[in-house]
Amino acid sequence: MSYPHAKASMALYTLPNQFIVEVITMKTFAVLTSGGDAPGMNAAIRSVVRTASFYECRILGIRHGYQGMIDDDVLELTPGSVGDIIQRGGTVLQTARCEAFKTPVGLAKGIATLQKHGIEGLVVIGGDGSFRGAYALAQYGIQVIGIPGTIDNDIPGTDESIGFDTAVNTAVEAIDRIRDTASSHDRTYVVEVMGHRSGAIALSVGMAAGAASILIPEEPQDPDRVLAQLNKARERGKKHPIVIVAEGAACAMDVGEFLRNHIASEVRVTVLGHIQRGGSPSARDRILGGLYGTEAVRLLLEGMTNHMVAMCGARVTAVPFTEVFDRQHEANLFYHRIADILAV
Ligand code: ADP
C-alpha cells in the first residue's frame, strides 16, 4: 500500500517524519452536526470528509446528531458524496437536540454504535452544548474534536463560529429593505434579531445597519436610554431611526409599545426570526468551514482530543473543552460604544 498523500501532508504542515508513520495507520473517523443548524456547516462537513480522505482515512457521517448515534444512523462518506454542498445552508447530515444522550443509557448506546463501526475519532460540529456530549464520549476513550457552529457566536474561546457571518449579513440585508420603507414613511422601526444569551448578532447588525440604538442581553435594559438616543437622532434630523433588539434582551413588541407612548412618529416592529438561520452561507462561513474541518482532522491524526478548533486573531488554533466550559461568553461592548457614537 502506498501513501502518496502522506508526503503532501508533510509539505503542507511541515511536520516531522514521525507524523507520516502515525498517518499511515489507517483510521476510521466520523462527523456529526448537533444542536442548532448554522449556514456553513456543510462546508465544514465537506472539509472534514475531504481532509480525512486526503490522509487516507475512512470517514463516516452520523445523521441527526447524537440521536443518530443512539439509533445507529450512520453512512459512509466519500469526497464525491460531499460535492455540491458547499453553497447550501442547513446541514446535509441533519441535526437534533437529544435529551436521551445526556443519560447513561443513551451514552452507552452511542458508544456501542461507534464501536460497531470501528470509529476511533469523532468531529462534532455544533455549540458548547454539543461539546459537552463530545466530552462525555471522551471519558470512554473516544477521541473528540469540536468545530464551533452556531449563528449566535457565543462560544467562549473562539472569535468566530460558523454561521454567524451569514446570519449577520442576512439580517443586514433585511434591514436595508426595511430602511427603504422606513424612510419613505418617516417611521421608526424596532427590529428583533436572534440571540437569547448573546448580543453578538445584534451588535454586528446594529453596527452594519446604522442602528440608532441596540439592546443586548448582556447589559441592563434602560428604556429611557433608548428614548434619549432616538430623540437625539431626531434632533439632528433623522426621521426613520432603527432600533435593534436581541431576542434575549427584551420583547421587541414591548419596546415598540413603549416607544409608541413616548415619541411622535409611527413605530413598527419586525421580528426577523428564522430567516437568519437559513440561506446560502457567506464566503466567510464557507472559508471558516474549510479551515476548521481541515484542522479538526489534523488534530485527530495528531492524537489530540477534547479540544475545539477556534479562531484567535487571524489564526486557527485549538482550545480545550474544559476552557470552553469554564469561561463565560463576553459581549463585544466595544462595538456597542462605537455604534452609540456613530448613531449620534
Ligand atoms: P448547542 O450545541 O447548539 O449548544 P444544545 O445545548 O441543545 O445545543 O446541545 C445539543 C445536544 O448536545 C443536546 O441535545 C444533547 O444531545 C447533547 N448534550 C448537551 N449537553 C450534554 C451533556 N452534558 N452530556 C451529554 N450530551 C449533551
Side-chain angles (χ1 to χ4, degrees):
M1 194 171 177
S2 69
Y3 301 95
H5 300 321
K7 247 193 206 145
S9 75
M10 194 175 74
L12 190 59
Y13 292 112
T14 57
L15 289 168
N17 285 343
Q18 184 198 356
F19 185 68
I20 299 174
V21 177
E22 283 170 26
V23 167
I24 63 177
T25 53
M26 170 80 158
K27 298 258 184 190
T28 299
F29 297 142
V31 57
L32 62 78
T33 47
S34 168
D37 64 302
M41 281 183 163
N42 284 329
I45 293 168
R46 171 182 179 271
S47 173
V48 167
V49 170
R50 294 206 172 157
T51 309
S53 168
F54 177 86
Y55 288 116
E56 300 195 345
C57 297
R58 192 171 160 241
I59 179 86
L60 305 174
I62 300 173
R63 288 198 195 92
H64 300 287
Y66 294 115
Q67 187 61 55
M69 196 183 288
I70 290 175
D71 298 339
D72 191 10
D73 194 353
V74 177
L75 73 161
E76 190 103 23
L77 295 173
T78 61
S81 69
V82 290
D84 205 24
I85 67 169
I86 195 168
Q87 79 285 10
R88 286 168 59 185
T91 156
V92 291
L93 287 177
Q94 298 191 270
T95 183
R97 293 204 162 85
C98 172
E99 284 303 305
F101 198 72
K102 295 180 183 173
T103 67
V105 174
L107 186 61
K109 282 185 183 166
I111 292 169
T113 298
L114 298 182
Q115 284 171 343
K116 177 182 160 190
H117 294 278
I119 295 166
E120 296 150 275
L122 176 71
V123 177
V124 172
I125 307 170
D128 48 353
S130 300
F131 300 156
R132 286 184 191 274
Y135 186 78
L137 286 170
Q139 310 314 305
Y140 293 87
I142 318 276
Q143 238 189 304
V144 289
I145 296 291
I147 292 181
T150 163
I151 62 166
D152 291 335
N153 208 24
D154 59 352
I155 304 175
T158 183
D159 297 343
E160 293 175 84
S161 64
I162 292 172
F164 175 67
D165 186 67
T166 306
V168 168
N169 278 295
T170 302
V172 169
E173 199 183 312
I175 291 167
D176 284 348
R177 289 162 196 256
I178 288 169
R179 193 190 266 278
D180 288 344
T181 179
S183 69
S184 302
H185 292 271
D186 279 351
R187 282 178 187 148
T188 298
Y189 264 87
V190 176
V191 182
E192 184 182 293
V193 298
M194 280 190 157
H196 273 297
R197 294 182 303 175
S198 160
I201 291 180
L203 289 172
S204 285
V205 167
M207 280 274 277
S213 185
I214 306 169
L215 295 175
I216 58 169
E218 295 92 336
E219 287 198 319
Q221 306 315 317
D222 180 1
D224 292 333
R225 184 180 140 265
V226 179
L227 205 53
Q229 286 177 314
L230 291 188
N231 285 334
K232 209 165 171 189
R234 195 158 283 277
E235 273 165 27
R236 67 124 174 104
K238 194 172 181 78
K239 292 184 177 148
H240 47 271
I242 289 175
V243 178
I244 303 291
V245 182
E247 61 184 338
C251 169
M253 295 297 174
D254 292 347
V255 175
E257 196 53 36
F258 172 80
L259 293 178
R260 261 181 219 113
N261 293 328
H262 289 85
I263 60 175
S265 93
E266 194 182 343
V267 179
R268 293 288 173 97
V269 178
T270 298
V271 177
L272 294 185
H274 279 85
I275 65 158
Q276 292 159 95
R277 260 192 204 287
S280 181
S282 67
R284 181 63 191 158
D285 280 328
R286 298 180 199 194
I287 291 167
L288 269 186
L291 293 172
Y292 284 165
T294 302
E295 184 64 3
V297 173
R298 196 183 72 81
L299 293 175
L300 283 178
L301 287 167
E302 276 193 342
M304 187 97 105
T305 188
N306 266 328
H307 276 67
M308 171 187 79
V309 296
M311 190 63 73
C312 191
R315 260 190 55 231
V316 179
T317 179
V319 178
F321 279 154
T322 46
E323 219 174 281
V324 177
F325 301 152
D326 288 350
R327 280 167 54 179
Q328 289 290 317
H329 146 77
E330 284 172 18
N332 188 349
L333 296 181
F334 179 65
Y335 265 30
H336 210 177
R337 301 288 89 85
I338 299 288
D340 281 353
I341 290 168
L342 299 183
V344 181

